[in-house]
Amino acid sequence: MGDFRKALGDDGLLLFDGAMGTLLQGRGLAPGQSPELFGLAHPEAIMATHREYVQAGSRVITTNTFGGTHFKLPAGTDVRALSREMARVARQAAGPGVFVAGSVGPTGHFVTPLGTSSLGDLVAAFAEQIRGLAEGGCDLIIGETHFDLAEAKAVILACRQVCSLPVAMCMTFEGAASLTGSSPEVFADAMENLGVDLIGVNCGQGPDDMRLVGEVFARRLATPFFVKPNAGMPRLENGVTVFPMGPAEFAEKTARFADLGAKALSGCCGTTPAHIAALAGALADRSWRRADTPDRPVLAVTSRSITVSVGGTSPCALIGERINPTGKPELAAELVAGEFAKALAFAEEQTRAGAHILDVNVGAPMVDEVAVLPGLALELVKRQQLPLCLDSNNADALTAGLWASPGTPLVNSISGEPGRMERLGPVCRDHGAPFILLPLKGRKLPVTAAERLAIIEELLIQADALGIPRRLILVDALALTVSSKPEAAVACLDTIRYCREKWGLPTVLGLSNISFGLPARELVNSAFFAMCLGAGLAAAIANPNVPRLMETLGAGEVLLGRDPQAGRFISRYAGWKPSSGGGAVVAAAAADDDGGSRLRRAVVRGRKEEVLELIETALAEGRDAATLLSDELIPGIMSVGERYERKEFFLPQLLAAAEAMRAGFTRLEPLLAQTAGAAKARIVMATVEGDIHDIGKNIVCLMLKNHGFEVIDLGKDVPAERIVDAASQHGASVIGLSALMTTTMVRMEDTVRLVRERGLMTRIMVGGAVVTAAFAKAIGADAYATDAVDAVRQAKALADGA
């Protein structure tokens, strides 16, 4: 075994291996057979494949364990033993000077609220696999082809639980984002927060299309990065799936990533030892040159789909303070009952008002924070995209909240309270969660800047000893009320400047504390806010519904040169006018209310409970069920689909809206049946034989049901004969086929051929990550769907023409 972390720090480039599936098929792997179980039965085939890549010049080879969790393997499989054996085989084949990377692929399951598995479920599954990989002699763990930030986080947490090996993590992107809406920027920031050793992108794209991701990594990452493109995009030739890019072209284009600053390079689908050998030749005599990182944030807070940069030249981040039961008896009562309607309304209201991060505090008498904080966090993750700031005095509640968060939320806070840094610091470090460092220790308030800075320095020493990077620390400048401590505001300003200039640390404060006990508090708060912005304040906890504060923030960003061409300011305040009352002002920009009726908006926003309440009200008022469906629910879900295609919404919002729509449709269905006319179109859906991936197909099924189709879902790994039999038996007008693997997409043609042979009039629609329009045309399919929304559109067209 070698020291992979040392290799990451030297000036050499690291060449990983290429694809394994095609080579294994040539050595006896049958279509649909588990590569992991095949490898266990035929270790000599795995050994030979590894050695081909070593001979081609690979300095790192990956184990045959991509699908090696209990989620993918047959029941009863000893996951740990299988991983250990596959790692041992790779270790033996590697020889001296070659590293072994333990491959960990996706489980095929979403974490709640997108799916039914918890983050802990995935961590447990990955830990079982990773323990075996470590025991078998791996030098590092590599997550490959992950498409959800939460699952990538689970791999990292599992690795930290069971070993101290370096971690590499690769995500696959569809255009500008992953399947669940993470951009390369979000992924890069979250992985750096989590302390990953090597951050990469693999699969889904050839080197030309992957260039944009590489450029983001080069601008943003101080961590070494890795690119692993396909040999182009697959196409069908003479009934065989081929990748068009030969070794020479692949090597030439992939080697260009070294110019961007990539530390590690290799190939994914369609690449062979010949491709890797050509890449090795193209990289010969080249050394690693670290990229400049002009876009790297000082600190970043991430959700699944948004990253908020804090500090440095980034705009001041506004942390919305409204989700806090203090002084809000109605909210407190709901939280005691475990209900979240008011809190969710505050979230939407603050999002529309311009908040960048949402503070979430459930601390009230009789509230079980350990249960309620993660419960509310899950509901917020499900319904909106802004990052969260988990706010509690209860360390157990904060820990539970982190386990409910797919990204790297902010934690509020860690103070000098005895044991709090020791308790929460490692949790924040392992979850990659930035936290607010609160300069409070003992009973005496630190009034002067010197007192505050002494406490901050002591806490920083503790954080350093725990291995917590400064990148995760946001210092609270501690706004105390000037009505009783006149020097408090100046002390804040001095603290902000010192943290920025001497330590390079960003600062935050709660604005409203400064004016307590004074009249015209908005005037004091906004003036203080402007002074703090000038001193270098990076974030503020405040109410974004207060116009004066938001105007101060908007104007301040222009004056500080952080709003290019004043674009944001002009967009928000182009029609601004002083109010007739003199003092208060109004902004011209109206909040987006999604248009349409309350029921339609509830569908768009994924509010299932509100949809049901509004339907009951409408029915009681005598409205017709069919009209509610056609005029309210369907237009709502269509609007969601349009936003999804425009990349304004991503999979979490699509699923939440689909669930709300489905709940409404289920309520109306018995009433619709009483006046039913023509039968609904039937569609048979299946993932083709040999392919065990069904997430995409399941999403399409949900969307089709919401649009009135009767869906016969046959599941995954379904032979062509069974698909065609089902279509014939049910009189289906459409068959929908899904494939995620290049080795199984050819099975789609079996269904097309069998339908034609039997003379059925059933039309066939195909889709999946590896499927293209050209492939669909080549096999004779009637339609190709790019995503779930397009699948509904294509299925309707096929059904109408059947």
Side-chain angles (χ1 to χ4, degrees):
M1 294 178 66
D3 187 342
F4 188 74
R5 286 194 175 97
K6 182 177 180 182
L8 284 175
D10 66 27
D11 63 358
L13 295 169
L14 288 169
L15 183 60
F16 281 62
D17 52 7
M20 181 173 283
T22 305
L23 296 184
L24 291 185
Q25 285 183 341
R27 292 186 164 105
L29 176 67
Q33 185 178 6
S34 163
E36 293 77 23
L37 295 182
F38 172 81
L40 204 58
H42 303 282
E44 72 287 349
I46 308 301
M47 183 89 68
T49 301
H50 287 320
R51 284 178 173 161
E52 283 192 51
Y53 279 116
V54 172
Q55 290 165 7
S58 295
R59 195 174 166 195
V60 187
I61 57 174
T62 51
T63 58
N64 176 43
T65 54
F66 179 79
T69 64
H70 71 76
F71 285 105
K72 291 286 187 73
L73 295 169
T77 303
D78 189 332
V79 169
R80 183 172 171 181
L82 184 150
S83 296
R84 184 170 56 243
E85 178 60 17
M86 289 295 94
R88 188 195 64 78
V89 169
R91 179 80 271 154
Q92 185 177 343
V98 176
F99 298 105
V100 174
S103 175
V104 179
T107 61
H109 288 248
F110 283 127
V111 301
T112 184
L114 296 186
T116 57
S117 298
S118 70
L119 185 65
D121 293 335
L122 267 59
V123 169
F126 288 136
E128 184 181 21
Q129 180 186 19
I130 291 168
R131 187 174 280 109
L133 291 170
E135 292 169 349
C138 287
D139 300 291
L140 69 147
I141 301 300
I142 181 168
E144 300 185 279
T145 324
H146 287 275
F147 49 80
D148 181 44
L149 196 61
E151 188 165 42
K153 179 178 174 180
V155 174
I156 298 161
L157 289 170
C159 195
R160 301 270 164 73
Q161 281 187 4
V162 302
C163 68
S164 58
L165 291 177
V167 181
M169 180 54 63
C170 295
M171 181 163 274
T172 184
F173 296 93
E174 299 177 359
S178 72
L179 176 65
T180 53
S182 299
S183 67
E185 290 86 353
V186 168
F187 177 64
D189 291 348
M191 292 303 103
E192 285 216 309
N193 283 350
L194 284 156
V196 170
D197 299 274
L198 182 65
I199 299 172
V201 52
N202 81 293
C203 205
Q205 299 169 320
D208 292 329
D209 293 331
M210 199 170 279
R211 179 83 182 182
L212 293 176
V213 179
E215 289 173 350
V216 169
F217 287 176
R219 293 193 308 267
R220 205 165 187 95
L221 287 173
T223 302
F225 71 91
F226 176 28
V227 290
K228 187 177 180 180
N230 293 342
M233 292 305 291
R235 63 189 184 210
L236 191 69
E237 292 183 0
N238 300 320
V240 178
T241 304
V242 299
F243 286 82
M245 198 170 286
E249 182 185 3
F250 173 82
E252 177 194 355
K253 291 183 174 181
T254 303
R256 294 174 189 167
F257 287 101
D259 299 329
L260 288 177
K263 171 69 176 182
L265 305 97
S266 72
C268 202
C269 298
T271 59
T272 66
H275 288 79
I276 299 304
L279 182 56
L283 297 173
D285 302 321
R286 298 183 65 169
S287 58
W288 178 41
R289 177 186 60 81
R290 274 188 186 271
D292 296 327
T293 55
D295 293 349
R296 187 175 191 243
V298 174
L299 179 145
V301 184
T302 73
S303 67
R304 186 181 258 115
S305 56
I306 290 178
T307 182
V308 175
S309 298
V310 180
T313 59
S314 300
C316 181
L318 199 291
I319 303 171
E321 67 181 5
R322 297 280 287 151
I323 305 177
N324 187 322
T326 303
K328 302 183 185 76
E330 185 180 348
L331 175 60
E334 283 195 352
L335 294 175
V336 169
E339 298 172 356
F340 304 129
K342 195 71 177 175
L344 295 173
F346 280 140
E348 286 192 8
E349 166 194 297
Q350 293 180 105
T351 300
R352 291 196 299 272
H356 305 109
I357 299 169
L358 297 176
D359 190 81
V360 186
N361 186 316
V362 299
M366 306 300 292
V367 173
D368 180 2
E369 289 193 60
V370 177
V372 174
L373 184 62
L376 177 53
L378 281 174
E379 286 299 314
L380 289 166
V381 165
K382 179 178 178 181
R383 296 167 188 264
Q384 59 84 45
Q385 300 181 52
L386 292 187
L388 304 180
C389 173
L390 304 173
D391 186 354
S392 178
N393 291 322
N394 187 319
D396 291 333
L398 289 172
T399 301
L402 288 174
W403 279 96
S405 303
T408 54
L410 183 64
V411 166
N412 189 5
S413 58
I414 296 181
S415 67
E417 175 189 335
R420 192 160 175 92
M421 176 66 78
E422 293 82 356
R423 169 72 175 84
L424 275 176
V427 177
C428 290
R429 176 198 64 206
D430 292 346
H431 282 261
F435 59 88
I436 295 175
L437 192 72
L438 185 63
L440 287 178
K441 184 179 180 182
R443 296 184 178 181
K444 183 184 176 184
L445 288 174
V447 177
T448 68
E451 290 172 319
R452 300 175 196 198
L453 293 169
I455 297 173
I456 293 167
E457 187 166 23
E458 183 179 333
L459 291 173
L460 289 175
I461 291 170
Q462 290 184 41
D464 290 342
L466 292 169
I468 299 168
R470 295 288 174 95
R471 177 181 168 84
L472 296 182
I473 298 175
L474 178 62
V475 176
D476 194 328
L478 196 62
L480 303 177
T481 176
V482 292
S483 60
S484 61
K485 296 177 176 58
E487 68 272 45
V490 174
C492 273
L493 298 174
D494 289 343
T495 301
I496 291 167
R497 292 190 189 97
Y498 191 96
C499 288
R500 178 171 59 88
E501 295 169 3
K502 301 297 183 181
W503 288 326
L505 290 174
T507 50
V508 64
L509 48 74
L511 276 177
S512 60
N513 291 342
I514 202 75
S515 61
F516 186 78
L518 294 175
R521 294 185 64 185
E522 280 188 29
L523 292 178
V524 178
N525 291 346
S526 60
F528 180 56
F529 192 15
M531 297 170 73
C532 290
L533 289 173
L537 184 72
I541 303 172
N543 182 357
N545 296 301
V546 178
R548 195 181 300 272
L549 286 179
M550 298 305 288
E551 290 157 3
T552 300
L553 176 60
E557 292 302 325
V558 174
L559 297 172
L560 290 167
R562 298 192 300 221
D563 185 358
Q565 289 78 50
R568 294 191 301 273
F569 184 79
I570 292 170
S571 172
R572 188 174 181 96
Y573 296 112
W576 179 91
K577 295 181 180 67
S579 72
S580 58
V585 291
V586 293
D592 176 19
D593 67 357
D594 296 310
S597 67
R598 285 185 63 198
L599 179 53
R600 190 180 305 182
R601 291 199 299 271
V603 172
V604 171
R605 297 176 187 179
R607 296 175 173 178
K608 181 173 68 174
E609 296 80 7
E610 186 175 349
V611 166
L612 293 174
E613 290 175 5
L614 292 171
I615 285 176
E616 293 301 335
T617 300
L619 292 174
E621 293 172 351
R623 293 192 65 185
D624 177 68
T627 302
L628 290 175
L629 178 63
S630 62
D631 293 357
E632 306 286 0
L633 300 188
I634 290 178
I637 202 67
M638 291 297 289
S639 173
V640 170
E642 291 165 2
R643 293 177 183 216
Y644 180 76
E645 290 188 319
R646 293 196 302 264
K647 301 299 182 184
E648 295 172 7
F649 278 10
F650 293 96
L651 188 60
Q653 291 75 41
L654 181 68
L655 292 179
E659 183 180 341
M661 165 75 181
R662 186 62 182 165
F665 181 77
T666 300
R667 171 63 183 91
L668 296 176
E669 194 168 21
L671 303 176
L672 295 169
Q674 296 171 12
T675 57
K680 293 181 290 185
R682 291 192 183 96
I683 181 169
V684 168
M685 292 291 298
T687 301
V688 297
E689 185 175 11
D691 202 317
I692 58 174
H693 301 87
D694 63 356
I695 285 181
K697 184 263 300 172
N698 292 343
I699 295 167
V700 171
C701 288
L702 178 61
M703 292 297 292
L704 288 167
K705 290 175 183 176
N706 281 344
H707 283 267
F709 281 88
E710 181 180 340
V711 178
I712 296 94
D713 183 1
L714 301 181
K716 56 192 176 184
D717 189 18
V718 187
E721 188 169 356
R722 184 179 164 210
I723 295 170
V724 178
D725 286 347
S728 178
Q729 176 187 347
H730 294 281
S733 55
V734 182
I735 292 173
L737 302 176
S738 172
L740 193 66
M741 300 165 61
T742 57
T743 54
T744 59
M745 60 193 282
V746 292
R747 300 274 70 84
M748 291 178 164
E749 190 176 15
D750 298 343
T751 300
V752 174
R753 185 170 53 249
L754 192 54
V755 165
R756 305 296 183 252
E757 289 175 357
R758 294 192 183 180
L760 299 180
M761 298 303 293
T762 310
R763 312 294 291 278
I764 299 174
M765 173 179 68
V766 299
V770 295
V771 181
T772 64
F775 175 82
K777 183 178 180 181
I779 65 173
D782 298 292
Y784 160 68
T786 57
D787 54 40
V789 174
D790 190 37
V792 172
R793 183 164 48 246
Q794 299 292 344
K796 284 183 175 180
L798 293 178
D800 290 343

